[in-house]
Amino acid sequence: MKHLKTIILLMMVALLPMSALAEEGGDGEKINIPEIVLEHLADSYEWHIATYQGKHLSISLPIIIRSENTGEWHFCTAHSLPDGFFFSEEHHGKIYEKVGDEEVRPIDLSITKSVMQIWIVVAVLIIVFLSCARWYKKHDAKEAAPGGFVGAMEMIVMMIHDDLIKSSIGEKHYKPYAPYLLTVFFFILTCNLIGLIPVFPGGANVTGNINITFFLALCTMLAINIFANKEYWKEIFWPEVPLFLKAYPAPVMPLIELFGVFTKPFALMIRLFANMMAGHAVMLSFTCVIFLGWSMGVGFGLGLNAFSILMLLFMNLLELLVAFVQAYVFTMLSAVFIGLAHKEHHAE
């Protein structure tokens, strides 16, 4: 939490003064830094690559929507929306449809920037682990230890598997959960690292998307509660506390424990989302400072550029660490919560 508060404070310091200074940009052109940052953090139906002489170079992604008026499915791009559909600025660029006098959200199964980034991450993970598996297929691990990239991957896998998953859940129950937790760790780590690449095929803010972190937290919640033993549920509905705290006059402790069933995955969701979104926002803000400085003159440009480059270097190095830490923390807390769902009964 201390790290999160520091990053959010930096983001606020970077954004608020610059939005006021942007009104005085040179050549009559205004630079709205908060708008630029929020636009890059949000999901979109196009993958913007670069802008040259006022022209945008973007990859149009397939849009798949169902009309509420006719019930027909439409396959199009952002530049060829059917009649009646439009991008709503009020709802962060999402597609809406005019139905009578109302604006409604149609069924939208489009391949957005975040979805495309997830597919890229999945492809990278498949290539990495199939190449590692090919090495083990050709060599006897007992006779020859892997080196280079395969050896580094084995070291990371064994560290997460033995030192984190097995020790947190327990040797008796960890095996069914190890594939899921390892997948979550490498998925989050790869998303974080590719998200730091400023150009295609990187740059998408996947783990800074609340929908993605919600789904990951939901999977952990299901893994905790569906396969929990009776001791876990006994601790929730009949904890070992004085009777007046769990039955009369009100079941205070059972209600608190039941509330904890939902707050644990909620904390996982918010922790990952807030940390990654804040880190991207701060780096984008310092990038925008470069353009803001030149719009205010050469003196401001040189000074702000030097400051921004130093801060960008620092933030990128910090985000490399945060990318690993957030994947590790999410996996560790998931493993701890799963381990608590498999408590053994201790007879007095």
Side-chain angles (χ1 to χ4, degrees):
M1 288 299 294
K2 183 178 180 182
H3 173 67
L4 173 60
K5 291 178 181 178
T6 304
I7 287 185
I8 292 178
L9 180 61
L10 282 171
M11 181 177 65
M12 293 174 65
V13 171
L15 289 178
L16 293 179
M18 289 188 290
S19 62
L21 290 172
E23 299 297 324
E24 303 176 2
D27 301 327
E29 184 180 354
K30 296 180 180 179
I31 303 174
N32 192 333
I33 294 178
E35 182 180 344
I36 293 173
V37 171
L38 293 175
E39 180 182 346
H40 280 77
L41 291 177
D43 200 4
S44 65
Y45 297 94
E46 291 183 316
W47 198 312
H48 181 265
I49 298 176
T51 300
Y52 180 70
Q53 295 183 347
K55 296 181 180 180
H56 299 289
L57 177 60
S58 304
I59 299 176
S60 295
L61 301 174
I63 294 176
I64 307 171
I65 47 179
R66 181 181 182 274
S67 173
E68 296 294 329
N69 283 319
T70 63
E72 296 181 355
W73 287 94
H74 297 277
F75 300 84
C76 56
T77 65
H79 301 288
S80 59
L81 281 181
D83 293 337
F85 294 92
F86 62 95
F87 295 105
S88 174
E89 295 183 2
E90 183 181 353
H91 298 91
H92 309 290
K94 297 296 183 182
I95 295 178
Y96 273 72
E97 183 181 11
K98 193 75 173 179
V99 179
D101 296 330
E102 298 182 356
E103 297 177 358
V104 299
R105 182 89 163 96
I107 297 176
D108 190 350
L109 302 180
S110 304
I111 310 302
T112 63
K113 184 178 179 180
S114 293
V115 175
M116 196 67 170
Q117 184 74 91
I118 291 173
W119 287 2
I120 293 172
V121 169
V122 170
V124 169
L125 290 176
I126 289 175
I127 293 171
V128 166
F129 286 106
L130 285 182
S131 63
C132 293
R134 188 178 299 111
W135 186 95
Y136 285 101
K137 188 176 181 181
K138 295 180 179 179
H139 301 82
D140 188 351
K142 294 181 180 179
E143 297 179 358
F149 179 75
V150 177
M153 290 300 300
E154 180 180 323
M155 179 190 68
I156 297 174
V157 169
M158 296 307 295
M159 178 188 70
I160 300 300
H161 183 273
D162 295 343
D163 299 338
L164 195 154
I165 298 174
K166 185 187 290 187
S167 61
S168 298
I169 300 178
E171 193 168 351
K172 185 178 179 181
H173 303 287
Y174 82 93
K175 288 185 179 180
Y177 302 100
Y180 163 69
L181 293 173
L182 283 168
T183 302
V184 166
F185 172 80
F186 282 104
F187 174 78
I188 295 175
L189 178 62
T190 308
C191 284
N192 293 346
L193 293 177
I194 293 181
L196 294 176
I197 301 174
V199 295
F200 181 85
N205 188 31
V206 174
T207 46
N209 186 323
I210 193 69
N211 297 308
I212 305 300
T213 58
F214 168 78
F215 178 77
L216 293 174
L218 178 63
C219 291
T220 295
M221 180 181 175
L222 294 176
I224 294 170
N225 295 285
I226 290 179
F227 305 105
N229 60 16
K230 63 180 182 180
E231 292 297 325
Y232 170 78
W233 294 110
K234 180 183 176 182
E235 286 290 326
I236 292 176
F237 294 108
W238 200 253
E240 296 182 0
V241 295
L243 185 63
F244 73 91
L245 290 176
K246 60 184 177 183
Y248 179 83
V252 177
M253 288 304 297
L255 288 176
I256 293 175
E257 293 290 341
L258 184 61
F259 187 65
V261 171
F262 302 97
T263 56
K264 290 175 183 177
F266 179 79
L268 287 175
M269 174 185 72
I270 295 299
R271 180 189 298 271
L272 179 60
F273 159 72
N275 278 280
M276 299 313 301
M277 184 192 70
H280 278 262
V282 172
M283 288 192 295
L284 286 169
S285 299
F286 284 123
T287 303
C288 291
V289 169
I290 297 174
F291 302 97
L292 175 64
W294 288 116
S295 70
M296 298 169 64
V298 177
F300 281 104
L302 293 175
L304 289 178
N305 277 6
F307 171 75
S308 297
I309 290 171
L310 290 175
M311 291 305 299
L312 278 172
L313 179 61
F314 169 75
M315 286 303 302
N316 273 281
L317 294 175
L318 180 62
E319 283 299 301
L320 285 174
L321 175 63
V322 171
F324 176 82
V325 168
Q326 290 304 315
Y328 187 90
V329 169
F330 190 98
T331 308
M332 179 187 68
L333 292 178
S334 297
V336 169
F337 295 153
I338 291 172
L340 293 174
H342 291 277
K343 286 184 176 180
E344 297 293 337
H345 177 70
H346 298 285
E348 297 181 357

